[in-house]
Protein backbone atom coordinates (compact mmCIF):
# COMPACT_ATOMS: atom_id res chain seq x y z
CA UNK A 1 0.00 0.00 0.00
CA UNK A 2 1.42 3.34 -1.08
CA UNK A 3 1.62 6.05 1.56
CA UNK A 4 0.62 9.68 1.00
CA UNK A 5 4.22 10.73 1.44
CA UNK A 6 5.42 8.33 -1.26
CA UNK A 7 2.61 9.44 -3.57
CA UNK A 8 3.46 13.13 -3.15
CA UNK A 9 7.12 12.52 -3.95
CA UNK A 10 6.31 10.29 -6.93
CA UNK A 11 4.04 12.98 -8.40
CA UNK A 12 5.88 16.15 -7.54
CA UNK A 13 7.55 16.24 -10.94
CA UNK A 14 4.12 17.01 -12.43
CA UNK A 15 4.57 20.67 -11.51
CA UNK A 16 6.40 23.15 -13.67
CA UNK A 17 7.88 24.55 -10.47
CA UNK A 18 8.88 21.22 -8.95
CA UNK A 19 11.00 22.78 -6.23
CA UNK A 20 9.47 20.40 -3.74
CA UNK A 21 7.73 23.38 -2.13
CA UNK A 22 4.23 22.13 -2.97
CA UNK A 23 5.19 18.70 -1.65
CA UNK A 24 6.32 20.26 1.62
CA UNK A 25 3.03 22.18 1.74
CA UNK A 26 0.97 19.02 1.26
CA UNK A 27 3.05 17.28 3.92
CA UNK A 28 2.37 20.14 6.33
CA UNK A 29 -1.36 19.72 5.68
CA UNK A 30 -1.00 15.98 6.27
CA UNK A 31 0.71 16.63 9.62
CA UNK A 32 -1.92 19.15 10.79
CA UNK A 33 -4.77 16.87 9.73
CA UNK A 34 -3.45 14.13 12.01
CA UNK A 35 -3.40 16.51 14.98
CA UNK A 36 -6.95 17.70 14.25
CA UNK A 37 -8.13 14.13 13.72
CA UNK A 38 -6.79 13.23 17.17
CA UNK A 39 -8.72 16.09 18.82
CA UNK A 40 -11.92 15.49 16.83
CA UNK A 41 -11.91 11.81 17.76
CA UNK A 42 -11.71 12.51 21.47
CA UNK A 43 -13.93 15.62 21.41
CA UNK A 44 -16.56 13.97 23.55
CA UNK A 45 -14.09 13.00 26.23
CA UNK A 46 -12.44 16.25 27.11
CA UNK A 47 -13.66 19.75 27.61
CA UNK A 48 -13.05 20.70 23.98
CA UNK A 49 -16.50 20.45 22.46
CA UNK A 50 -18.90 23.27 22.76
CA UNK A 51 -18.56 26.87 21.76
CA UNK A 52 -16.08 29.50 22.81
CA UNK A 53 -17.48 32.89 23.65
CA UNK A 54 -15.88 34.17 20.42
CA UNK A 55 -17.45 34.77 17.04
CA UNK A 56 -15.63 34.61 13.71
CA UNK A 57 -15.63 37.12 10.85
CA UNK A 58 -19.10 36.03 9.83
CA UNK A 59 -20.40 36.48 13.36
CA UNK A 60 -20.71 32.69 13.60
CA UNK A 61 -20.13 31.11 16.99
CA UNK A 62 -16.63 29.64 17.09
CA UNK A 63 -16.63 26.07 18.35
CA UNK A 64 -13.53 25.24 20.40
CA UNK A 65 -12.44 22.67 17.80
CA UNK A 66 -12.73 25.35 15.10
CA UNK A 67 -10.15 27.38 16.97
CA UNK A 68 -7.94 24.36 17.62
CA UNK A 69 -8.07 23.28 13.96
CA UNK A 70 -7.28 26.77 12.74
CA UNK A 71 -4.27 26.98 15.04
CA UNK A 72 -3.06 23.52 14.01
CA UNK A 73 -3.04 24.35 10.28
CA UNK A 74 -1.69 27.84 10.90
CA UNK A 75 1.21 26.43 12.95
CA UNK A 76 1.98 23.70 10.44
CA UNK A 77 2.02 26.09 7.48
CA UNK A 78 3.35 29.33 8.93
CA UNK A 79 5.84 28.18 11.55
CA UNK A 80 7.45 25.85 9.03
CA UNK A 81 7.82 28.78 6.65
CA UNK A 82 6.11 26.91 3.84
CA UNK A 83 3.67 29.53 2.61
CA UNK A 84 3.85 33.29 2.09
CA UNK A 85 0.17 33.83 2.90
CA UNK A 86 -2.61 32.21 4.93
CA UNK A 87 -6.35 32.92 4.95
CA UNK A 88 -9.02 31.12 6.94
CA UNK A 89 -12.73 31.23 7.70
CA UNK A 90 -11.62 31.78 11.30
CA UNK A 91 -9.38 34.77 10.51
CA UNK A 92 -10.83 38.22 9.77
CA UNK A 93 -8.16 38.98 7.15
CA UNK A 94 -5.32 37.15 5.43
CA UNK A 95 -1.96 36.74 7.15
CA UNK A 96 1.20 37.70 5.23
CA UNK A 97 4.27 35.67 6.13
CA UNK A 98 7.64 37.20 5.29
CA UNK A 99 10.43 34.65 4.89
CA UNK A 100 13.24 35.18 7.39
CA UNK A 101 15.97 34.54 4.81
CA UNK A 102 15.31 36.27 1.52
CA UNK A 103 16.77 33.52 -0.64
CA UNK A 104 14.16 31.07 0.69
CA UNK A 105 11.08 32.74 -0.72
CA UNK A 106 7.80 30.86 -0.50
CA UNK A 107 5.50 31.04 -3.48
CA UNK A 108 2.20 29.59 -2.27
CA UNK A 109 -0.80 30.94 -0.39
CA UNK A 110 -3.31 28.67 1.36
CA UNK A 111 -6.97 29.38 2.07
CA UNK A 112 -8.71 27.06 4.48
CA UNK A 113 -11.94 26.22 6.21
CA UNK A 114 -10.29 24.51 9.17
CA UNK A 115 -13.36 22.70 10.42
CA UNK A 116 -16.34 22.83 8.12
CA UNK A 117 -19.63 21.66 9.59
CA UNK A 118 -18.36 22.32 13.12
CA UNK A 119 -21.90 22.88 14.40
CA UNK A 120 -22.19 19.08 14.05
CA UNK A 121 -19.40 18.36 16.53
CA UNK A 122 -21.59 18.19 19.62
CA UNK A 123 -23.94 15.73 17.89
CA UNK A 124 -21.10 13.50 16.71
CA UNK A 125 -21.65 14.04 12.98
CA UNK A 126 -18.63 14.00 10.66
CA UNK A 127 -16.83 17.27 10.01
CA UNK A 128 -14.05 18.22 7.63
CA UNK A 129 -11.21 20.53 6.68
CA UNK A 130 -11.17 22.13 3.21
CA UNK A 131 -8.06 23.71 1.69
CA UNK A 132 -7.18 25.62 -1.47
CA UNK A 133 -3.69 26.48 -2.74
CA UNK A 134 -2.57 29.18 -5.18
CA UNK A 135 0.79 30.32 -6.44
CA UNK A 136 1.28 33.99 -5.52
CA UNK A 137 0.97 36.49 -8.40
CA UNK A 138 2.65 39.53 -6.77
CA UNK A 139 6.45 40.00 -6.82
CA UNK A 140 8.14 37.54 -4.44
CA UNK A 141 10.26 40.31 -2.86
CA UNK A 142 7.13 41.99 -1.50
CA UNK A 143 4.62 40.84 1.15
CA UNK A 144 1.55 39.12 -0.29
CA UNK A 145 -1.48 41.26 -1.01
CA UNK A 146 -5.21 40.61 -1.39
CA UNK A 147 -4.63 39.95 -5.10
CA UNK A 148 -2.74 36.76 -4.24
CA UNK A 149 -5.86 35.41 -2.50
CA UNK A 150 -8.57 36.83 -4.77
CA UNK A 151 -7.66 34.65 -7.74
CA UNK A 152 -10.18 32.72 -9.85
CA UNK A 153 -10.67 29.13 -8.71
CA UNK A 154 -9.35 27.98 -12.08
CA UNK A 155 -5.90 29.21 -10.95
CA UNK A 156 -5.69 26.80 -7.99
CA UNK A 157 -2.59 24.59 -8.02
CA UNK A 158 -4.01 22.21 -5.42
CA UNK A 159 -7.18 21.66 -3.39
CA UNK A 160 -8.46 19.02 -1.04
CA UNK A 161 -10.36 18.09 2.05
CA UNK A 162 -9.96 15.86 5.07
CA UNK A 163 -13.11 14.10 6.27
CA UNK A 164 -13.04 13.15 9.95
CA UNK A 165 -15.65 10.42 9.67
CA UNK A 166 -15.98 6.72 10.41
CA UNK A 167 -12.47 6.74 9.02
CA UNK A 168 -10.30 9.77 8.33
CA UNK A 169 -9.71 10.30 4.63
CA UNK A 170 -7.67 12.95 2.84
CA UNK A 171 -8.76 13.71 -0.74
CA UNK A 172 -6.78 16.06 -2.95
CA UNK A 173 -6.04 17.11 -6.50
CA UNK A 174 -3.25 19.07 -8.13
CA UNK A 175 -5.00 19.14 -11.48
CA UNK A 176 -4.00 15.59 -12.42
CA UNK A 177 -7.04 13.69 -11.11
CA UNK A 178 -8.36 13.09 -7.60
CA UNK A 179 -6.84 10.63 -5.11
CA UNK A 180 -7.95 9.56 -1.63
CA UNK A 181 -5.83 8.45 1.31
CA UNK A 182 -7.19 6.76 4.42
CA UNK A 183 -5.49 7.21 7.79
CA UNK A 184 -4.31 4.14 9.67
CA UNK A 185 -4.64 5.64 13.18
CA UNK A 186 -2.49 2.93 14.71
CA UNK A 187 0.45 3.97 12.55
CA UNK A 188 -0.49 7.63 11.96
CA UNK A 189 0.01 7.00 8.24
CA UNK A 190 -2.27 7.87 5.30
CA UNK A 191 -2.46 5.09 2.68
CA UNK A 192 -3.68 5.40 -0.92
CA UNK A 193 -7.18 3.89 -0.70
CA UNK A 194 -9.08 5.67 -3.51
CA UNK A 195 -6.85 6.10 -6.59
CA UNK A 196 -8.09 8.23 -9.50
CA UNK A 197 -11.58 8.92 -8.06
CA UNK A 198 -14.37 9.67 -10.55
CA UNK A 199 -18.09 10.32 -9.99
CA UNK A 200 -20.09 7.17 -10.82
CA UNK A 201 -22.22 7.51 -13.97
CA UNK A 202 -25.91 8.43 -13.51
CA UNK A 203 -25.89 9.58 -9.92
CA UNK A 204 -29.23 9.61 -8.09
CA UNK A 205 -28.58 11.33 -4.74
CA UNK A 206 -29.57 14.95 -4.21
CA UNK A 207 -28.34 16.76 -1.09
CA UNK A 208 -30.18 19.92 -0.06
CA UNK A 209 -31.70 21.39 3.10
CA UNK A 210 -35.38 21.27 2.11
CA UNK A 211 -36.21 23.21 5.26
CA UNK A 212 -35.46 26.30 3.16
CA UNK A 213 -37.80 25.16 0.34
CA UNK A 214 -40.18 28.12 0.45
CA UNK A 215 -37.30 30.55 -0.16
CA UNK A 216 -35.58 28.60 -2.97
CA UNK A 217 -35.53 29.98 -6.51
CA UNK A 218 -38.42 28.60 -8.61
CA UNK A 219 -36.04 26.48 -10.69
CA UNK A 220 -34.73 24.70 -7.58
CA UNK A 221 -38.26 24.03 -6.35
CA UNK A 222 -39.06 22.51 -9.76
CA UNK A 223 -35.86 20.43 -9.70
CA UNK A 224 -36.69 18.98 -6.27
CA UNK A 225 -40.19 18.05 -7.46
CA UNK A 226 -38.65 16.51 -10.62
CA UNK A 227 -36.41 14.32 -8.43
CA UNK A 228 -39.45 13.26 -6.39
CA UNK A 229 -41.61 12.29 -9.40
CA UNK A 230 -42.06 8.55 -9.63
CA UNK A 231 -41.79 8.36 -13.40
CA UNK A 232 -38.05 8.99 -13.37
CA UNK A 233 -35.85 6.49 -15.13
CA UNK A 234 -33.52 6.63 -12.14
CA UNK A 235 -35.33 6.86 -8.76
CA UNK A 236 -33.66 9.71 -6.90
CA UNK A 237 -33.00 9.65 -3.18
CA UNK A 238 -32.39 12.50 -0.73
CA UNK A 239 -29.42 12.50 1.63
CA UNK A 240 -28.34 15.56 3.66
CA UNK A 241 -25.88 15.48 6.57
CA UNK A 242 -25.51 19.24 7.00
CA UNK A 243 -21.75 18.98 6.60
CA UNK A 244 -20.51 19.92 3.13
CA UNK A 245 -17.46 17.64 3.18
CA UNK A 246 -19.59 14.64 4.27
CA UNK A 247 -22.31 15.28 1.70
CA UNK A 248 -19.86 15.98 -1.12
CA UNK A 249 -17.72 12.93 -0.32
CA UNK A 250 -20.73 10.58 -0.23
CA UNK A 251 -21.90 11.98 -3.57
CA UNK A 252 -18.40 11.54 -5.05
CA UNK A 253 -18.31 7.89 -4.01
CA UNK A 254 -21.97 6.95 -4.61
CA UNK A 255 -23.06 9.44 -7.27
CA UNK A 256 -25.04 12.59 -6.65
CA UNK A 257 -25.27 16.34 -6.40
CA UNK A 258 -25.05 18.87 -3.55
CA UNK A 259 -27.12 22.04 -3.67
CA UNK A 260 -26.90 25.17 -1.54
CA UNK A 261 -29.14 27.75 -3.29
CA UNK A 262 -29.81 31.32 -2.21
CA UNK A 263 -32.12 31.36 0.84
CA UNK A 264 -33.83 34.05 2.93
CA UNK A 265 -30.97 33.96 5.48
CA UNK A 266 -28.28 33.74 2.79
CA UNK A 267 -29.47 35.56 -0.36
CA UNK A 268 -26.01 35.01 -1.95
CA UNK A 269 -25.87 31.39 -0.79
CA UNK A 270 -24.27 30.31 2.50
CA UNK A 271 -21.03 28.78 1.33
CA UNK A 272 -17.78 30.71 0.94
CA UNK A 273 -16.39 31.02 -2.57
CA UNK A 274 -12.68 31.00 -1.73
CA UNK A 275 -12.26 28.21 0.82
CA UNK A 276 -15.35 26.07 0.30
CA UNK A 277 -16.79 26.41 -3.22
CA UNK A 278 -13.54 26.79 -5.19
CA UNK A 279 -11.65 23.81 -3.71
CA UNK A 280 -14.75 21.59 -3.87
CA UNK A 281 -15.36 22.72 -7.47
CA UNK A 282 -11.74 21.93 -8.47
CA UNK A 283 -12.09 18.42 -7.01
CA UNK A 284 -15.54 17.95 -8.59
CA UNK A 285 -14.28 18.82 -12.09
CA UNK A 286 -11.13 16.74 -11.71
CA UNK A 287 -13.37 13.78 -10.78
CA UNK A 288 -15.44 14.22 -13.97
CA UNK A 289 -18.18 16.26 -12.30
CA UNK A 290 -19.21 19.91 -12.44
CA UNK A 291 -19.75 22.88 -10.14
CA UNK A 292 -21.77 26.03 -10.90
CA UNK A 293 -23.56 28.82 -9.08
CA UNK A 294 -26.61 28.09 -11.20
CA UNK A 295 -25.34 29.50 -14.45
CA UNK A 296 -21.57 30.02 -14.46
CA UNK A 297 -18.73 27.69 -13.60
CA UNK A 298 -17.61 28.27 -9.99
CA UNK A 299 -13.95 28.23 -11.07
CA UNK A 300 -14.53 31.17 -13.46
CA UNK A 301 -15.87 33.56 -10.79
CA UNK A 302 -13.62 36.57 -10.15
CA UNK A 303 -13.51 36.95 -6.35
CA UNK A 304 -13.95 40.43 -4.86
CA UNK A 305 -13.87 39.75 -1.13
CA UNK A 306 -12.08 37.17 1.02
CA UNK A 307 -15.22 35.84 2.74
CA UNK A 308 -17.72 36.29 -0.07
CA UNK A 309 -20.47 33.72 -0.41
CA UNK A 310 -21.99 32.14 -3.49
CA UNK A 311 -24.63 29.54 -4.36
CA UNK A 312 -23.18 26.06 -5.05
CA UNK A 313 -24.47 23.18 -7.18
CA UNK A 314 -21.76 20.53 -7.48
CA UNK A 315 -21.29 16.85 -8.21
CA UNK A 316 -22.55 14.57 -10.98
CA UNK A 317 -22.16 16.47 -14.25
CA UNK A 318 -25.54 15.50 -15.73
CA UNK A 319 -27.36 16.40 -12.50
CA UNK A 320 -25.65 19.81 -12.30
CA UNK A 321 -26.64 20.30 -15.95
CA UNK A 322 -30.27 19.50 -15.05
CA UNK A 323 -30.19 22.03 -12.21
CA UNK A 324 -28.76 24.77 -14.43
CA UNK A 325 -31.50 24.06 -17.00
CA UNK A 326 -34.28 24.17 -14.39
CA UNK A 327 -32.89 27.52 -13.18
CA UNK A 328 -32.61 28.85 -16.74
CA UNK A 329 -36.15 27.99 -17.78
CA UNK A 330 -38.06 28.77 -14.56
P1 LIG B 1 -27.64 24.43 6.68
C1 LIG B 1 -21.79 24.00 7.66
O1 LIG B 1 -22.12 25.11 8.46
C2 LIG B 1 -21.99 24.40 6.22
O2 LIG B 1 -21.16 25.46 5.91
C3 LIG B 1 -21.76 23.21 5.30
O3 LIG B 1 -20.79 22.35 5.78
C4 LIG B 1 -23.12 22.56 5.24
O4 LIG B 1 -23.35 21.85 4.03
C5 LIG B 1 -24.07 23.74 5.36
O5 LIG B 1 -23.36 24.78 6.04
C6 LIG B 1 -25.30 23.39 6.16
O6 LIG B 1 -26.11 24.55 6.20
O7 LIG B 1 -28.21 25.81 6.45
O8 LIG B 1 -28.30 23.39 5.79
O9 LIG B 1 -27.59 24.00 8.12
Amino acid sequence: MKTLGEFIIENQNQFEYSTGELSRLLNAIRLASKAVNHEVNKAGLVDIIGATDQKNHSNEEQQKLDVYANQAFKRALINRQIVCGFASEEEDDFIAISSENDNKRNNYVVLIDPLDGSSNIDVNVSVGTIFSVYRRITPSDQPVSAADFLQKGAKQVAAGYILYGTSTILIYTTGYGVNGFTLNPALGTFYLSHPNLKFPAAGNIYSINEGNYVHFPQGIKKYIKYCQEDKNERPYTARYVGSLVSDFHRNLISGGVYLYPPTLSYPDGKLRLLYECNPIAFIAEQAGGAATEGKNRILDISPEELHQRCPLYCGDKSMVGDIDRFLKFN
Side-chain angles (χ1 to χ4, degrees):
M1 287 268 271
K2 190 173 293 182
T3 69
L4 173 57
E6 289 162 345
F7 186 89
I8 290 171
I9 290 168
E10 277 177 19
N11 292 281
Q12 79 174 9
N13 58 14
Q14 285 172 346
F15 313 112
E16 47 191 300
Y17 336 92
S18 62
T19 60
E21 200 176 329
L22 190 55
S23 300
R24 283 201 310 281
L25 193 159
L26 292 170
N27 277 313
I29 287 174
R30 171 175 61 130
L31 179 73
S33 65
K34 287 194 269 192
V36 173
N37 176 63
H38 181 68
E39 292 304 315
V40 166
N41 283 348
K42 68 179 187 180
L45 301 175
V46 296
D47 177 32
I48 197 163
I49 55 179
T52 65
D53 55 1
Q54 306 296 318
K55 294 208 184 286
N56 66 12
H57 172 275
S58 319
N59 202 28
E60 291 167 345
E61 199 167 66
Q62 277 189 321
Q63 302 285 335
K64 290 177 182 174
L65 267 175
D66 272 333
V67 175
Y68 175 85
N70 191 54
Q71 291 307 330
F73 282 97
K74 217 163 132 179
R75 256 196 318 274
L77 290 164
I78 294 177
N79 298 359
R80 291 157 59 110
Q81 290 261 313
I82 289 177
V83 296
C84 54
F86 178 86
S88 165
E89 179 169 58
E90 306 308 327
E91 303 283 345
D92 290 350
D93 201 351
F94 65 83
I95 299 168
I97 299 111
S98 53
S99 58
E100 280 154 19
N101 44 353
D102 283 348
N103 61 354
K104 181 180 171 299
R105 288 200 180 108
N106 301 309
N107 293 297
Y108 294 102
V109 298
V110 174
L111 299 97
I112 194 163
D113 182 353
L115 210 59
D116 178 72
S118 54
S119 55
N120 291 302
I121 291 165
D122 291 357
V123 295
N124 212 16
V125 166
S126 301
V127 292
T129 297
I130 310 172
F131 63 89
S132 172
V133 185
Y134 291 88
R135 191 167 175 80
R136 70 176 299 171
I137 53 174
T138 53
S140 59
D141 58 354
Q142 293 167 17
V144 290
S145 69
D148 295 302
F149 296 88
L150 300 178
Q151 299 185 53
K152 285 185 179 182
K155 303 296 280 181
Q156 291 174 97
V157 293
Y161 57 81
I162 300 101
L163 175 57
Y164 310 101
T166 44
S167 63
T168 296
I169 189 166
L170 186 152
I171 301 279
Y172 83 95
T173 182
T174 55
Y176 295 86
V178 177
N179 292 283
F181 301 81
T182 299
L183 180 67
N184 176 337
L187 302 177
T189 306
F190 281 99
Y191 288 94
L192 179 61
S193 52
H194 297 73
N196 195 25
L197 271 171
K198 297 290 181 191
F199 282 97
N204 73 335
I205 297 170
Y206 65 100
S207 308
I208 188 169
N209 182 345
E210 294 194 44
N212 298 314
Y213 181 86
V214 293
H215 303 298
F216 286 154
Q218 190 60 15
I220 297 299
K221 292 180 179 177
K222 292 278 183 76
Y223 179 71
I224 292 172
K225 291 309 167 199
Y226 161 76
C227 290
Q228 293 168 347
E229 285 164 359
D230 58 9
K231 63 175 185 297
N232 278 319
E233 69 287 351
R234 43 176 148 164
Y236 290 92
T237 187
R239 290 285 184 278
Y240 192 72
V241 175
S243 175
L244 169 61
V245 176
S246 300
D247 281 314
F248 179 82
H249 185 73
R250 184 214 39 254
N251 294 346
L252 173 57
I253 301 298
S254 305
V257 69
Y258 171 93
L259 305 86
Y260 208 105
T263 65
L264 187 63
S265 311
Y266 300 104
D268 295 325
K270 178 182 183 185
L271 299 180
R272 309 295 181 176
L273 172 60
L274 289 180
Y275 41 79
E276 290 174 328
C277 299
N278 273 338
I280 290 294
F282 189 16
I283 295 165
E285 291 197 1
Q286 285 290 310
T292 73
E293 31 74 296
K295 184 176 172 187
N296 303 303
R297 191 174 168 239
I298 290 286
L299 297 182
D300 288 340
I301 298 173
S302 294
E304 291 166 10
E305 197 272 320
L306 202 55
H307 299 285
Q308 76 182 69
R309 301 175 191 268
C310 81
L312 177 63
Y313 309 108
C314 65
D316 176 288
K317 198 169 196 169
S318 64
M319 295 174 81
V320 172
D322 291 342
I323 293 165
D324 288 356
R325 269 189 301 282
F326 272 90
L327 283 166
K328 183 175 180 181
F329 296 111
N330 288 286

